[in-house]
C-alpha cells in the first residue's frame, strides 16, 4: 500500500516561513512527479507547485512564485514545500499529490493558517 503523509502545517504568523513535507511510503518502484495543492474553505482545490523526480523540473502558480520553493529528496521519497513571506490569503489545507507507478495518490492534507 502506498501512503502519503504531510506534515509541517499549523498556525503561522504573517511573513512566516514554514516548510511542509510529504513522505511517501509503501511499495514504491518509481515516482514520476509530485505536487502541492491547496484548498481554502468554499473554494476549489488549486495547484501550488509541481516537481518532476528525474530532472527536477518545477512549476509554480503565479500566486506563490518567488515565495514558495518545491524540492524533493529521491532517496527519502519525500517532497518539500518551503513557504516564505506567508500572507493571510495563503490559509488553506495543503495537499500532497504524487504520481507513483502510473497511479495518482493524495495525502490527507495539512492545515496552514496564517494569522496574527
Amino acid at each position: 500500500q502506498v501512503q502519503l503523509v504531510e506534515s509541517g502545517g499549523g498556525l503561522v504568523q504573517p511573513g512566516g516561513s514554514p516548510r511542509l513535507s510529504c513522505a511517501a511510503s509503501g511499495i514504491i518502484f518509481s515516482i514520476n512527479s509530485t505536487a502541492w495543492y491547496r484548498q481554502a474553505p468554499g473554494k476549489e482545490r488549486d495547484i501550488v507547485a509541481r516537481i518532476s523526480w528525474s530532472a527536477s523540473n518545477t512549476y509554480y502558480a503565479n500566486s506563490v512564485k518567488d515565495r514558495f520553493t518545491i524540492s524533493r529528496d529521491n532517496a527519502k521519497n519525500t517532497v518539500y514545500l518551503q513557504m516564505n513571506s506567508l500572507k493571510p490569503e495563503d490559509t488553506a489545507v495543503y495537499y500532497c499529490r504524487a504520481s507513483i507507478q502510473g497511479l495518482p495518490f493524495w495525502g490527507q492534507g495539512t492545515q496552514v493558517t496564517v494569522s496574527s
Side-chain angles (χ1 to χ4, degrees):
Q1 300 291 326
V2 175
Q3 184 179 23
L4 304 180
V5 179
E6 301 102 332
S7 62
L11 180 61
V12 186
Q13 296 284 331
S17 302
R19 187 180 73 164
L20 305 183
S21 64
C22 172
S25 62
I27 303 175
I28 301 174
F29 297 100
S30 63
I31 299 177
N32 179 254
S33 65
T34 54
W36 287 96
Y37 288 72
R38 68 183 181 186
Q39 185 171 22
K43 297 187 177 181
E44 295 183 345
R45 186 177 300 183
D46 297 321
I47 190 169
V48 175
R50 180 182 183 274
I51 187 170
S52 65
W53 279 67
S54 59
S56 297
N57 296 323
T58 58
Y59 163 84
Y60 296 95
N62 289 333
S63 59
V64 306
K65 195 173 299 181
D66 299 324
R67 295 192 298 123
F68 293 6
T69 301
I70 188 170
S71 61
R72 85 280 190 273
D73 186 330
N74 298 56
K76 296 181 178 180
N77 287 335
T78 301
V79 62
Y80 305 94
L81 184 68
Q82 178 64 60
M83 309 165 69
N84 298 316
S85 302
L86 284 184
K87 309 172 183 178
E89 50 263 44
D90 293 318
T91 296
V93 177
Y94 284 72
Y95 296 92
C96 177
R97 181 190 184 276
S99 177
I100 301 175
Q101 292 149 201
L103 299 174
F105 293 89
W106 289 90
Q108 293 298 307
T110 183
Q111 176 72 47
V112 175
T113 301
V114 184
S115 176
S116 59

